[in-house]
Amino acid sequence: MQDILFDFIAKYITLTEEEKNALLSLGLFRSVKKGTILLKEGQITRESFFVLKGCIRKYYIIDGDEKTTAFFTEMEGITPHCAINNAPSEYFISCIEDTILTVSNPDMGVEINAKFPKFEIMCRILSEELLAKQQINFDEFKTSSPEQRYLNLLQNRPDLIQRVPQHQLASYLGIKPQSLSRLRARIFEKEKK
Amino acid sequence: MQDILFDFIAKYITLTEEEKNALLSLGLFRSVKKGTILLKEGQITRESFFVLKGCIRKYYIIDGDEKTTAFFTEMEGITPHCAINNAPSEYFISCIEDTILTVSNPDMGVEINAKFPKFEIMCRILSEELLAKQQINFDEFKTSSPEQRYLNLLQNRPDLIQRVPQHQLASYLGIKPQSLSRLRARIFEKEKK
DNA sequence: ATAAATCGTTCACTTAAGTTAAGAAATAAT
DNA sequence: ATTATTTCTTAACTTAAGTGAACGATTTAT
């Protein structure tokens, strides 16, 4: 299991056996069942999540219904906003599949960074990459219609369409489930011709 | 003029006179006229921009028309994606007012960081803040309608509505200029009652 | 100063998303 | 296994955004 994590890290820095063991000794790994809520609105956590296998989802509850704004699958992670600014979370994070993740907190970060400065480098690269990706995603979202967004998703993350419930996908695309159904039917009609 | 920059920096770290002079010696400041294009699609730059006074705008040209995805006003800055990954820019950056900005490149960053490690700290804080803001903005955009987005903007950045042309605002809100006109008329009607 | 281009608004019409409701299909619970 | 719950789709209707065109108003260029 840990191999998944080490393979990922290997893309950025090279670890010695000693370093790997230091990482393992932190007891990062956690296995959670589908449906588990990792973070609730109003709650404050200091934990960050990184998905090794499975899928988690970030959503708000606004006027009583869920608005999904992000999915995190293999090799993606999230540090909740509340872990940074110590304020109650505005959103929920839950598992939409049985999921294996690493759960870390700032103390572990400090500890590991002190022992192995390499990590600091990886963290900087990761956060730069993340910021860049984030900006591109945002621009893409802003500049497309729901239909284009769906087609983009089909191109870029086809797995999501398979593994995520439609109504969650819909809100991720910024529309209602009924509109997604209709939109899919519309696309299907176009293709048939 | 430089006072604006130093006041901003003072919020994060404390600078000695020596450090201030080192900064000034880099020749960061540039004054540009309204309409100036700082970055074109297809072009590669290594420059980052930070607005001291005025307003710049980031936009794509898609199917022949402009899609504005961001405005940067006083104390806001942007490092174009192309400056990070050395690939041709996907978007334009231009000035919508006469603007005073600092223009920096990675070499200057390296130089100043080597001399004054403090800067590294400020940069880390700034990029964390930026990432957090970015995520919240994205979520807010995804979870609201164009009308709500306009009302939010009215709350959070009322200056933008004054200083930015309507058709650019419209595309920033994800709609057409005509729809923005209509939407404003609609809101005005509601208020009258 | 005048002409040209750009900008903002309005209107009529089209297209797509929101809403409410209903029913079938799939999942989860007992 | 059966019931209950959730999920997905379809349909009819409403609301809002897209489109194309027209017309002042403003800004820019000459």
Side-chain angles (χ1 to χ4, degrees):
Chain A
M1 178 76 291
Q2 42 259 45
D3 294 343
I4 302 180
L5 179 61
F6 291 140
D7 287 352
F8 175 77
I9 293 174
K11 282 191 272 182
Y12 299 91
I13 54 177
T14 311
L15 291 184
T16 64
E17 282 306 313
E18 188 200 359
E19 289 164 336
K20 288 186 184 178
N21 288 329
L23 250 189
L24 289 177
S25 74
L26 291 170
L28 292 164
F29 302 93
R30 195 182 301 176
S31 181
V32 287
K33 286 235 151 185
K34 176 175 179 174
T36 307
I37 294 182
L38 297 170
L39 174 66
K40 286 185 185 171
E41 183 187 345
Q43 193 180 326
I44 300 181
T45 187
R46 302 187 66 211
E47 296 180 328
S48 293
F49 308 103
F50 183 84
V51 177
L52 295 172
K53 183 152 188 24
C55 183
I56 66 179
R57 152 185 171 249
K58 166 180 167 188
Y59 62 99
Y60 294 74
I61 294 189
I62 297 176
D63 298 331
D65 45 28
E66 295 182 0
K67 304 262 189 179
T68 298
T69 56
F71 298 102
F72 303 90
T73 58
E74 287 74 17
M75 300 307 112
E76 295 177 335
I78 175 176
T79 298
H81 197 238
C82 67
I84 296 166
N85 67 1
N86 248 60
S89 177
E90 312 250 305
Y91 49 80
F92 296 75
I93 299 177
S94 80
C95 301
I96 65 174
E97 296 174 0
D98 291 349
T99 298
I100 299 165
L101 24 83
T102 69
V103 180
S104 58
N105 63 50
D107 301 333
M108 290 151 86
V110 168
E111 190 185 331
I112 205 87
N113 280 326
K115 274 193 201 147
F116 310 110
K118 266 185 226 176
F119 269 85
E120 195 103 44
I121 297 171
M122 182 177 75
C123 289
R124 216 210 48 237
I125 298 175
L126 278 174
S127 77
E128 277 172 10
E129 276 187 10
L130 186 62
L131 184 61
K133 240 188 244 168
Q134 193 87 14
Q135 273 167 344
I136 291 170
N137 273 340
F138 194 3
D139 287 349
E140 211 167 77
F141 190 93
K142 271 196 178 176
T143 57
S144 10
S145 65
E147 184 169 330
Q148 286 171 309
R149 278 175 220 150
Y150 178 79
L151 292 170
N152 284 343
L153 205 63
L154 212 53
Q155 281 286 328
N156 305 328
R157 303 192 62 181
D159 58 305
L160 273 192
I161 294 175
Q162 298 309 316
R163 68 207 287 192
V164 168
Q166 297 290 314
H167 66 283
Q168 290 172 10
L169 256 191
S171 96
Y172 181 66
L173 296 170
I175 56 177
K176 302 281 153 176
Q178 298 92 317
S179 299
L180 179 54
S181 269
R182 182 167 40 194
L183 180 159
R184 280 155 54 94
R186 204 163 61 217
I187 291 171
F188 192 68
E189 277 307 305
K190 283 183 198 161
E191 279 176 353
K192 231 173 41 183
K193 286 174 200 163
Chain B
M1 177 75 291
Q2 43 260 46
D3 293 343
I4 302 180
L5 179 61
F6 291 142
D7 286 352
F8 174 77
I9 292 175
K11 281 191 273 183
Y12 298 91
I13 54 177
T14 311
L15 292 184
T16 64
E17 282 307 312
E18 188 200 1
E19 288 163 337
K20 287 186 185 178
N21 289 331
L23 250 189
L24 289 178
S25 73
L26 291 170
L28 291 164
F29 301 94
R30 196 183 300 174
S31 182
V32 286
K33 286 236 152 186
K34 176 175 180 174
T36 307
I37 294 182
L38 298 170
L39 174 66
K40 286 185 185 171
E41 183 188 346
Q43 193 180 328
I44 298 180
T45 187
R46 302 187 66 211
E47 296 180 329
S48 293
F49 308 103
F50 183 83
V51 177
L52 295 172
K53 183 151 187 27
C55 182
I56 65 179
R57 150 184 173 253
K58 166 181 168 188
Y59 62 98
Y60 294 74
I61 293 189
I62 297 175
D63 298 333
D65 45 29
E66 295 182 359
K67 303 263 189 179
T68 299
T69 57
F71 298 103
F72 304 90
T73 58
E74 285 74 16
M75 301 305 112
E76 294 178 334
I78 177 177
T79 298
H81 197 237
C82 67
I84 297 167
N85 67 1
N86 248 62
S89 177
E90 311 250 305
Y91 48 81
F92 296 76
I93 299 177
S94 80
C95 301
I96 64 174
E97 294 173 2
D98 291 350
T99 298
I100 299 166
L101 24 83
T102 68
V103 180
S104 58
N105 62 51
D107 302 334
M108 290 151 88
V110 168
E111 190 185 331
I112 204 85
N113 279 326
K115 273 194 202 146
F116 310 111
K118 264 184 225 175
F119 269 83
E120 194 102 46
I121 297 172
M122 183 178 72
C123 290
R124 214 210 51 235
I125 298 175
L126 278 174
S127 78
E128 276 172 11
E129 276 188 10
L130 186 62
L131 184 61
K133 240 188 245 169
Q134 192 87 14
Q135 274 168 344
I136 290 170
N137 273 340
F138 194 3
D139 287 349
E140 211 167 76
F141 190 92
K142 271 196 178 177
T143 56
S144 12
S145 65
E147 184 170 330
Q148 286 172 308
R149 278 175 220 149
Y150 178 79
L151 293 169
N152 285 342
L153 206 61
L154 213 52
Q155 282 285 327
N156 305 328
R157 304 192 61 182
D159 59 306
L160 273 191
I161 293 175
Q162 299 309 316
R163 68 208 287 194
V164 169
Q166 295 291 314
H167 66 284
Q168 291 173 10
L169 255 192
S171 96
Y172 181 66
L173 295 170
I175 56 177
K176 303 281 153 179
Q178 298 93 319
S179 299
L180 179 54
S181 269
R182 182 166 42 194
L183 179 159
R184 280 156 54 95
R186 204 164 60 218
I187 290 172
F188 192 68
E189 277 307 304
K190 282 182 197 162
E191 278 176 353
K192 232 172 42 182
K193 285 172 201 165

PDB file of all heavy atoms in Angstrom, chain A residues 84 110 113 120-121 123-125 127-128 131, chain B residues 12-13 113 117-132:
ATOM      1  N   ILE A  84      -5.790  25.615   7.978  1.00  0.00           N
ATOM      2  CA  ILE A  84      -4.821  26.700   7.784  1.00  0.00           C
ATOM      3  C   ILE A  84      -5.144  27.883   8.688  1.00  0.00           C
ATOM      4  O   ILE A  84      -4.289  28.401   9.389  1.00  0.00           O
ATOM      5  CB  ILE A  84      -4.810  27.155   6.309  1.00  0.00           C
ATOM      6  CG1 ILE A  84      -4.334  25.995   5.423  1.00  0.00           C
ATOM      7  CG2 ILE A  84      -3.928  28.382   6.127  1.00  0.00           C
ATOM      8  CD1 ILE A  84      -4.592  26.209   3.956  1.00  0.00           C
ATOM      9  N   VAL A 110       6.141  19.619  10.262  1.00  0.00           N
ATOM     10  CA  VAL A 110       7.280  20.283  10.887  1.00  0.00           C
ATOM     11  C   VAL A 110       8.355  19.252  11.220  1.00  0.00           C
ATOM     12  O   VAL A 110       9.530  19.426  10.918  1.00  0.00           O
ATOM     13  CB  VAL A 110       6.844  21.033  12.163  1.00  0.00           C
ATOM     14  CG1 VAL A 110       8.062  21.473  12.963  1.00  0.00           C
ATOM     15  CG2 VAL A 110       5.961  22.220  11.802  1.00  0.00           C
ATOM     16  N   ASN A 113       9.946  17.812   8.016  1.00  0.00           N
ATOM     17  CA  ASN A 113      10.729  18.829   7.324  1.00  0.00           C
ATOM     18  C   ASN A 113      12.037  19.128   8.055  1.00  0.00           C
ATOM     19  O   ASN A 113      13.061  19.406   7.430  1.00  0.00           O
ATOM     20  CB  ASN A 113       9.931  20.120   7.169  1.00  0.00           C
ATOM     21  CG  ASN A 113       8.958  20.044   5.999  1.00  0.00           C
ATOM     22  OD1 ASN A 113       9.241  19.422   4.994  1.00  0.00           O
ATOM     23  ND2 ASN A 113       7.804  20.672   6.164  1.00  0.00           N
ATOM     24  N   GLU A 120      10.610  19.794   2.218  1.00  0.00           N
ATOM     25  CA  GLU A 120      10.224  21.185   2.021  1.00  0.00           C
ATOM     26  C   GLU A 120      10.191  21.498   0.524  1.00  0.00           C
ATOM     27  O   GLU A 120       9.265  22.140   0.034  1.00  0.00           O
ATOM     28  CB  GLU A 120      11.235  22.102   2.724  1.00  0.00           C
ATOM     29  CG  GLU A 120      10.748  23.522   2.892  1.00  0.00           C
ATOM     30  CD  GLU A 120      10.301  23.799   4.323  1.00  0.00           C
ATOM     31  OE1 GLU A 120      11.017  23.394   5.246  1.00  0.00           O
ATOM     32  OE2 GLU A 120       9.226  24.405   4.492  1.00  0.00           O
ATOM     33  N   ILE A 121      11.191  20.993  -0.180  1.00  0.00           N
ATOM     34  CA  ILE A 121      11.273  21.237  -1.621  1.00  0.00           C
ATOM     35  C   ILE A 121      10.075  20.639  -2.334  1.00  0.00           C
ATOM     36  O   ILE A 121       9.417  21.286  -3.140  1.00  0.00           O
ATOM     37  CB  ILE A 121      12.583  20.638  -2.201  1.00  0.00           C
ATOM     38  CG1 ILE A 121      13.790  21.334  -1.566  1.00  0.00           C
ATOM     39  CG2 ILE A 121      12.600  20.754  -3.723  1.00  0.00           C
ATOM     40  CD1 ILE A 121      15.107  20.683  -1.904  1.00  0.00           C
ATOM     41  N   CYS A 123       7.193  19.923  -1.107  1.00  0.00           N
ATOM     42  CA  CYS A 123       5.977  20.652  -0.744  1.00  0.00           C
ATOM     43  C   CYS A 123       5.850  21.929  -1.558  1.00  0.00           C
ATOM     44  O   CYS A 123       4.760  22.281  -2.001  1.00  0.00           O
ATOM     45  CB  CYS A 123       5.962  20.970   0.748  1.00  0.00           C
ATOM     46  SG  CYS A 123       5.713  19.501   1.745  1.00  0.00           S
ATOM     47  N   ARG A 124       6.979  22.620  -1.761  1.00  0.00           N
ATOM     48  CA  ARG A 124       6.926  23.859  -2.521  1.00  0.00           C
ATOM     49  C   ARG A 124       6.520  23.562  -3.964  1.00  0.00           C
ATOM     50  O   ARG A 124       5.626  24.207  -4.512  1.00  0.00           O
ATOM     51  CB  ARG A 124       8.283  24.565  -2.500  1.00  0.00           C
ATOM     52  CG  ARG A 124       8.166  26.081  -2.462  1.00  0.00           C
ATOM     53  CD  ARG A 124       9.334  26.770  -3.141  1.00  0.00           C
ATOM     54  NE  ARG A 124       9.639  26.215  -4.440  1.00  0.00           N
ATOM     55  CZ  ARG A 124      10.826  25.722  -4.805  1.00  0.00           C
ATOM     56  NH1 ARG A 124      11.814  25.704  -3.933  1.00  0.00           N
ATOM     57  NH2 ARG A 124      10.995  25.247  -6.019  1.00  0.00           N
ATOM     58  N   ILE A 125       7.131  22.540  -4.544  1.00  0.00           N
ATOM     59  CA  ILE A 125       6.791  22.182  -5.923  1.00  0.00           C
ATOM     60  C   ILE A 125       5.326  21.802  -6.035  1.00  0.00           C
ATOM     61  O   ILE A 125       4.603  22.255  -6.918  1.00  0.00           O
ATOM     62  CB  ILE A 125       7.665  21.009  -6.415  1.00  0.00           C
ATOM     63  CG1 ILE A 125       9.142  21.413  -6.410  1.00  0.00           C
ATOM     64  CG2 ILE A 125       7.242  20.574  -7.812  1.00  0.00           C
ATOM     65  CD1 ILE A 125      10.084  20.281  -6.766  1.00  0.00           C
ATOM     66  N   SER A 127       2.835  22.638  -4.136  1.00  0.00           N
ATOM     67  CA  SER A 127       1.871  23.723  -3.956  1.00  0.00           C
ATOM     68  C   SER A 127       1.887  24.665  -5.149  1.00  0.00           C
ATOM     69  O   SER A 127       0.856  25.222  -5.520  1.00  0.00           O
ATOM     70  CB  SER A 127       2.109  24.466  -2.639  1.00  0.00           C
ATOM     71  OG  SER A 127       3.201  25.340  -2.755  1.00  0.00           O
ATOM     72  N   GLU A 128       3.041  24.804  -5.797  1.00  0.00           N
ATOM     73  CA  GLU A 128       3.079  25.600  -7.024  1.00  0.00           C
ATOM     74  C   GLU A 128       2.268  24.931  -8.123  1.00  0.00           C
ATOM     75  O   GLU A 128       1.472  25.575  -8.804  1.00  0.00           O
ATOM     76  CB  GLU A 128       4.525  25.769  -7.508  1.00  0.00           C
ATOM     77  CG  GLU A 128       5.265  26.894  -6.824  1.00  0.00           C
ATOM     78  CD  GLU A 128       6.744  26.900  -7.197  1.00  0.00           C
ATOM     79  OE1 GLU A 128       7.137  26.157  -8.113  1.00  0.00           O
ATOM     80  OE2 GLU A 128       7.502  27.645  -6.536  1.00  0.00           O
ATOM     81  N   LEU A 131      -1.415  25.338  -7.376  1.00  0.00           N
ATOM     82  CA  LEU A 131      -1.920  26.680  -7.647  1.00  0.00           C
ATOM     83  C   LEU A 131      -2.131  26.873  -9.142  1.00  0.00           C
ATOM     84  O   LEU A 131      -3.160  27.385  -9.577  1.00  0.00           O
ATOM     85  CB  LEU A 131      -0.936  27.727  -7.108  1.00  0.00           C
ATOM     86  CG  LEU A 131      -1.368  29.184  -7.232  1.00  0.00           C
ATOM     87  CD1 LEU A 131      -2.653  29.421  -6.465  1.00  0.00           C
ATOM     88  CD2 LEU A 131      -0.282  30.122  -6.731  1.00  0.00           C
TER      89      LEU A 131
ATOM     90  N   TYR B  12       3.817  41.962   6.215  1.00  0.00           N
ATOM     91  CA  TYR B  12       4.300  40.585   6.330  1.00  0.00           C
ATOM     92  C   TYR B  12       5.656  40.477   7.019  1.00  0.00           C
ATOM     93  O   TYR B  12       5.862  39.625   7.855  1.00  0.00           O
ATOM     94  CB  TYR B  12       4.367  39.949   4.937  1.00  0.00           C
ATOM     95  CG  TYR B  12       3.028  39.880   4.278  1.00  0.00           C
ATOM     96  CD1 TYR B  12       2.573  40.908   3.462  1.00  0.00           C
ATOM     97  CD2 TYR B  12       2.174  38.811   4.523  1.00  0.00           C
ATOM     98  CE1 TYR B  12       1.312  40.857   2.873  1.00  0.00           C
ATOM     99  CE2 TYR B  12       0.926  38.747   3.951  1.00  0.00           C
ATOM    100  CZ  TYR B  12       0.500  39.781   3.127  1.00  0.00           C
ATOM    101  OH  TYR B  12      -0.744  39.722   2.578  1.00  0.00           O
ATOM    102  N   ILE B  13       6.573  41.348   6.645  1.00  0.00           N
ATOM    103  CA  ILE B  13       7.907  41.322   7.254  1.00  0.00           C
ATOM    104  C   ILE B  13       8.394  42.761   7.467  1.00  0.00           C
ATOM    105  O   ILE B  13       7.848  43.692   6.884  1.00  0.00           O
ATOM    106  CB  ILE B  13       8.930  40.570   6.351  1.00  0.00           C
ATOM    107  CG1 ILE B  13       8.936  41.172   4.945  1.00  0.00           C
ATOM    108  CG2 ILE B  13       8.638  39.085   6.302  1.00  0.00           C
ATOM    109  CD1 ILE B  13       9.958  40.542   4.015  1.00  0.00           C
ATOM    110  N   ASN B 113      16.188  36.754  -2.609  1.00  0.00           N
ATOM    111  CA  ASN B 113      16.011  35.714  -1.602  1.00  0.00           C
ATOM    112  C   ASN B 113      17.349  35.284  -1.009  1.00  0.00           C
ATOM    113  O   ASN B 113      17.446  34.958   0.178  1.00  0.00           O
ATOM    114  CB  ASN B 113      15.298  34.500  -2.197  1.00  0.00           C
ATOM    115  CG  ASN B 113      13.804  34.713  -2.262  1.00  0.00           C
ATOM    116  OD1 ASN B 113      13.234  35.361  -1.397  1.00  0.00           O
ATOM    117  ND2 ASN B 113      13.174  34.179  -3.286  1.00  0.00           N
ATOM    118  N   PRO B 117      16.839  36.307   3.376  1.00  0.00           N
ATOM    119  CA  PRO B 117      15.987  35.110   3.491  1.00  0.00           C
ATOM    120  C   PRO B 117      14.562  35.437   3.931  1.00  0.00           C
ATOM    121  O   PRO B 117      13.641  34.657   3.671  1.00  0.00           O
ATOM    122  CB  PRO B 117      16.702  34.282   4.569  1.00  0.00           C
ATOM    123  CG  PRO B 117      18.082  34.793   4.625  1.00  0.00           C
ATOM    124  CD  PRO B 117      18.047  36.214   4.199  1.00  0.00           C
ATOM    125  N   LYS B 118      14.393  36.556   4.552  1.00  0.00           N
ATOM    126  CA  LYS B 118      13.057  36.999   4.959  1.00  0.00           C
ATOM    127  C   LYS B 118      12.045  36.922   3.818  1.00  0.00           C
ATOM    128  O   LYS B 118      10.883  36.610   4.006  1.00  0.00           O
ATOM    129  CB  LYS B 118      13.122  38.478   5.337  1.00  0.00           C
ATOM    130  CG  LYS B 118      13.295  38.790   6.781  1.00  0.00           C
ATOM    131  CD  LYS B 118      13.233  40.298   6.934  1.00  0.00           C
ATOM    132  CE  LYS B 118      14.339  40.781   7.836  1.00  0.00           C
ATOM    133  NZ  LYS B 118      14.384  42.246   7.908  1.00  0.00           N
ATOM    134  N   PHE B 119      12.553  37.289   2.644  1.00  0.00           N
ATOM    135  CA  PHE B 119      11.655  37.355   1.500  1.00  0.00           C
ATOM    136  C   PHE B 119      11.022  36.018   1.181  1.00  0.00           C
ATOM    137  O   PHE B 119       9.867  35.948   0.784  1.00  0.00           O
ATOM    138  CB  PHE B 119      12.402  37.876   0.281  1.00  0.00           C
ATOM    139  CG  PHE B 119      12.317  39.344   0.166  1.00  0.00           C
ATOM    140  CD1 PHE B 119      13.184  40.150   0.878  1.00  0.00           C
ATOM    141  CD2 PHE B 119      11.329  39.921  -0.606  1.00  0.00           C
ATOM    142  CE1 PHE B 119      13.085  41.522   0.802  1.00  0.00           C
ATOM    143  CE2 PHE B 119      11.225  41.292  -0.678  1.00  0.00           C
ATOM    144  CZ  PHE B 119      12.096  42.096   0.023  1.00  0.00           C
ATOM    145  N   GLU B 120      11.812  34.996   1.366  1.00  0.00           N
ATOM    146  CA  GLU B 120      11.317  33.651   1.127  1.00  0.00           C
ATOM    147  C   GLU B 120      10.073  33.412   1.997  1.00  0.00           C
ATOM    148  O   GLU B 120       9.082  32.852   1.545  1.00  0.00           O
ATOM    149  CB  GLU B 120      12.409  32.630   1.471  1.00  0.00           C
ATOM    150  CG  GLU B 120      12.130  31.242   0.955  1.00  0.00           C
ATOM    151  CD  GLU B 120      12.953  30.940  -0.299  1.00  0.00           C
ATOM    152  OE1 GLU B 120      14.156  31.230  -0.294  1.00  0.00           O
ATOM    153  OE2 GLU B 120      12.366  30.427  -1.261  1.00  0.00           O
ATOM    154  N   ILE B 121      10.168  33.872   3.230  1.00  0.00           N
ATOM    155  CA  ILE B 121       9.049  33.701   4.157  1.00  0.00           C
ATOM    156  C   ILE B 121       7.817  34.428   3.652  1.00  0.00           C
ATOM    157  O   ILE B 121       6.715  33.859   3.588  1.00  0.00           O
ATOM    158  CB  ILE B 121       9.425  34.223   5.563  1.00  0.00           C
ATOM    159  CG1 ILE B 121      10.587  33.390   6.129  1.00  0.00           C
ATOM    160  CG2 ILE B 121       8.206  34.171   6.498  1.00  0.00           C
ATOM    161  CD1 ILE B 121      11.157  33.954   7.417  1.00  0.00           C
ATOM    162  N   MET B 122       8.024  35.668   3.249  1.00  0.00           N
ATOM    163  CA  MET B 122       6.887  36.437   2.747  1.00  0.00           C
ATOM    164  C   MET B 122       6.271  35.754   1.529  1.00  0.00           C
ATOM    165  O   MET B 122       5.054  35.647   1.418  1.00  0.00           O
ATOM    166  CB  MET B 122       7.300  37.856   2.388  1.00  0.00           C
ATOM    167  CG  MET B 122       6.125  38.692   1.936  1.00  0.00           C
ATOM    168  SD  MET B 122       6.558  40.402   1.561  1.00  0.00           S
ATOM    169  CE  MET B 122       7.445  40.207   0.040  1.00  0.00           C
ATOM    170  N   CYS B 123       7.122  35.277   0.644  1.00  0.00           N
ATOM    171  CA  CYS B 123       6.613  34.629  -0.559  1.00  0.00           C
ATOM    172  C   CYS B 123       5.785  33.396  -0.222  1.00  0.00           C
ATOM    173  O   CYS B 123       4.743  33.154  -0.825  1.00  0.00           O
ATOM    174  CB  CYS B 123       7.762  34.242  -1.486  1.00  0.00           C
ATOM    175  SG  CYS B 123       8.540  35.670  -2.241  1.00  0.00           S
ATOM    176  N   ARG B 124       6.260  32.649   0.777  1.00  0.00           N
ATOM    177  CA  ARG B 124       5.509  31.459   1.150  1.00  0.00           C
ATOM    178  C   ARG B 124       4.138  31.851   1.702  1.00  0.00           C
ATOM    179  O   ARG B 124       3.116  31.299   1.310  1.00  0.00           O
ATOM    180  CB  ARG B 124       6.279  30.638   2.194  1.00  0.00           C
ATOM    181  CG  ARG B 124       6.087  29.136   2.054  1.00  0.00           C
ATOM    182  CD  ARG B 124       6.205  28.416   3.372  1.00  0.00           C
ATOM    183  NE  ARG B 124       5.378  28.995   4.396  1.00  0.00           N
ATOM    184  CZ  ARG B 124       5.835  29.410   5.562  1.00  0.00           C
ATOM    185  NH1 ARG B 124       7.114  29.314   5.854  1.00  0.00           N
ATOM    186  NH2 ARG B 124       4.999  29.922   6.456  1.00  0.00           N
ATOM    187  N   ILE B 125       4.124  32.838   2.578  1.00  0.00           N
ATOM    188  CA  ILE B 125       2.858  33.282   3.151  1.00  0.00           C
ATOM    189  C   ILE B 125       1.914  33.782   2.062  1.00  0.00           C
ATOM    190  O   ILE B 125       0.743  33.417   2.006  1.00  0.00           O
ATOM    191  CB  ILE B 125       3.086  34.402   4.186  1.00  0.00           C
ATOM    192  CG1 ILE B 125       3.932  33.877   5.343  1.00  0.00           C
ATOM    193  CG2 ILE B 125       1.752  34.931   4.706  1.00  0.00           C
ATOM    194  CD1 ILE B 125       4.308  34.951   6.352  1.00  0.00           C
ATOM    195  N   LEU B 126       2.472  34.591   1.165  1.00  0.00           N
ATOM    196  CA  LEU B 126       1.653  35.145   0.087  1.00  0.00           C
ATOM    197  C   LEU B 126       1.061  34.054  -0.786  1.00  0.00           C
ATOM    198  O   LEU B 126      -0.119  34.112  -1.136  1.00  0.00           O
ATOM    199  CB  LEU B 126       2.490  36.085  -0.783  1.00  0.00           C
ATOM    200  CG  LEU B 126       2.667  37.496  -0.241  1.00  0.00           C
ATOM    201  CD1 LEU B 126       3.626  38.282  -1.127  1.00  0.00           C
ATOM    202  CD2 LEU B 126       1.323  38.199  -0.173  1.00  0.00           C
ATOM    203  N   SER B 127       1.864  33.047  -1.108  1.00  0.00           N
ATOM    204  CA  SER B 127       1.340  32.035  -2.018  1.00  0.00           C
ATOM    205  C   SER B 127       0.313  31.144  -1.313  1.00  0.00           C
ATOM    206  O   SER B 127      -0.638  30.685  -1.926  1.00  0.00           O
ATOM    207  CB  SER B 127       2.466  31.225  -2.650  1.00  0.00           C
ATOM    208  OG  SER B 127       2.959  30.264  -1.752  1.00  0.00           O
ATOM    209  N   GLU B 128       0.494  30.957  -0.024  1.00  0.00           N
ATOM    210  CA  GLU B 128      -0.524  30.212   0.728  1.00  0.00           C
ATOM    211  C   GLU B 128      -1.836  30.999   0.769  1.00  0.00           C
ATOM    212  O   GLU B 128      -2.907  30.453   0.527  1.00  0.00           O
ATOM    213  CB  GLU B 128      -0.059  29.959   2.160  1.00  0.00           C
ATOM    214  CG  GLU B 128       0.820  28.728   2.298  1.00  0.00           C
ATOM    215  CD  GLU B 128       1.427  28.628   3.695  1.00  0.00           C
ATOM    216  OE1 GLU B 128       1.015  29.372   4.602  1.00  0.00           O
ATOM    217  OE2 GLU B 128       2.343  27.790   3.875  1.00  0.00           O
ATOM    218  N   GLU B 129      -1.711  32.265   1.054  1.00  0.00           N
ATOM    219  CA  GLU B 129      -2.900  33.129   1.088  1.00  0.00           C
ATOM    220  C   GLU B 129      -3.620  33.106  -0.251  1.00  0.00           C
ATOM    221  O   GLU B 129      -4.842  33.010  -0.329  1.00  0.00           O
ATOM    222  CB  GLU B 129      -2.488  34.572   1.397  1.00  0.00           C
ATOM    223  CG  GLU B 129      -2.324  34.890   2.867  1.00  0.00           C
ATOM    224  CD  GLU B 129      -2.101  36.384   3.091  1.00  0.00           C
ATOM    225  OE1 GLU B 129      -2.267  37.177   2.126  1.00  0.00           O
ATOM    226  OE2 GLU B 129      -1.770  36.761   4.217  1.00  0.00           O
ATOM    227  N   LEU B 130      -2.796  33.198  -1.293  1.00  0.00           N
ATOM    228  CA  LEU B 130      -3.340  33.247  -2.638  1.00  0.00           C
ATOM    229  C   LEU B 130      -4.097  31.971  -2.972  1.00  0.00           C
ATOM    230  O   LEU B 130      -5.212  32.005  -3.500  1.00  0.00           O
ATOM    231  CB  LEU B 130      -2.192  33.444  -3.629  1.00  0.00           C
ATOM    232  CG  LEU B 130      -2.602  33.665  -5.072  1.00  0.00           C
ATOM    233  CD1 LEU B 130      -3.419  34.939  -5.183  1.00  0.00           C
ATOM    234  CD2 LEU B 130      -1.381  33.734  -5.966  1.00  0.00           C
ATOM    235  N   LEU B 131      -3.484  30.835  -2.643  1.00  0.00           N
ATOM    236  CA  LEU B 131      -4.118  29.551  -2.927  1.00  0.00           C
ATOM    237  C   LEU B 131      -5.451  29.444  -2.198  1.00  0.00           C
ATOM    238  O   LEU B 131      -6.465  29.020  -2.762  1.00  0.00           O
ATOM    239  CB  LEU B 131      -3.188  28.410  -2.506  1.00  0.00           C
ATOM    240  CG  LEU B 131      -3.666  26.998  -2.818  1.00  0.00           C
ATOM    241  CD1 LEU B 131      -3.842  26.809  -4.320  1.00  0.00           C
ATOM    242  CD2 LEU B 131      -2.710  25.956  -2.279  1.00  0.00           C
ATOM    243  N   ALA B 132      -5.452  29.858  -0.948  1.00  0.00           N
ATOM    244  CA  ALA B 132      -6.671  29.795  -0.149  1.00  0.00           C
ATOM    245  C   ALA B 132      -7.759  30.683  -0.756  1.00  0.00           C
ATOM    246  O   ALA B 132      -8.902  30.247  -0.942  1.00  0.00           O
ATOM    247  CB  ALA B 132      -6.379  30.213   1.284  1.00  0.00           C
TER     248      ALA B 132
END
